């Protein structure tokens, strides 16, 4: 199986910066894509940023120009750099790996991190 662990969440002031990390481990055969999602109280989970295995990225309109998704492929780690954060960025952030395992016949599945709280407040 694939185990996903997130870190980097916390309290940050408006206009500040935060960097989230998401590391995947286990019997990974190939990675199709990686994404960051967030969910605020009373709202649906939404896509924040995503990256394909080829490096193509896309972002939600609400974070374009402020957030950046990147990866360290050698360490199976994906990052979300959050700059110029706003109170409305407050949410639980989840990372997702779309990957196949060594015993999964090359069929990709979704693997989710446990979530990390980001609170933007003065």
């Amino acid at each position: 199986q694939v185990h996903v662990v997130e870190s980097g969440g916390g309290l940050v002031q408006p206009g500040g910066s935060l960097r989230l990390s998401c590391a995947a481990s286990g019997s990974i055969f190939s990675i199709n894509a990686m994404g960051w999602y967030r969910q605020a109280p009373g709202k649906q989970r939404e896509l924040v940023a995503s990256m394909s295995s080829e490096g193509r990225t896309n972002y939600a309109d609400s974070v374009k120009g402020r957030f950046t998704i990147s990866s360290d492929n050698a360490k199976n780690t994906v990052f979300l750099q959050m700059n110029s954060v706003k109170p409305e960025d407050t949410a639980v952030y989840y990372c997702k790996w779309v990957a196949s395992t060594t015993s999964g016949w090359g069929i990709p599945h979704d693997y989710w991190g446990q979530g990390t709280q980001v609170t933007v407040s003065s």
Side-chain angles (χ1 to χ4, degrees):
Q1 68 173 65
V2 177
H3 183 53
V4 181
V5 178
E6 302 179 37
S7 63
L11 177 65
V12 62
Q13 294 183 335
S17 297
L18 205 63
R19 188 176 181 87
L20 307 183
S21 299
C22 179
S25 62
S27 56
I28 300 173
F29 179 74
S30 64
I31 299 170
N32 287 32
M34 175 66 194
W36 287 96
Y37 296 74
R38 68 185 181 187
Q39 187 167 22
K43 297 184 178 180
Q44 290 187 324
R45 186 173 299 185
E46 64 173 344
L47 176 67
V48 176
S50 64
M51 173 182 285
S52 71
S53 60
E54 295 81 20
R56 298 189 300 271
T57 61
N58 65 73
Y59 299 89
D61 289 340
S62 59
V63 307
K64 285 183 179 178
R66 300 188 297 118
F67 292 7
T68 302
I69 186 171
S70 62
S71 66
D72 182 341
N73 294 332
K75 297 182 178 180
N76 284 338
T77 302
V78 172
F79 307 94
L80 183 68
Q81 179 66 46
M82 306 168 60
N83 296 328
S84 302
V85 296
K86 305 174 181 178
E88 49 263 46
D89 294 323
T90 296
V92 177
Y93 284 71
Y94 300 88
C95 66
K96 183 183 77 173
W97 291 80
V98 183
S100 61
T101 65
T102 55
S103 61
W105 302 95
I107 302 173
H109 295 273
D110 295 345
Y111 299 93
W112 290 90
Q114 81 281 7
T116 184
Q117 176 71 47
V118 173
T119 302
V120 182
S121 176
S122 59

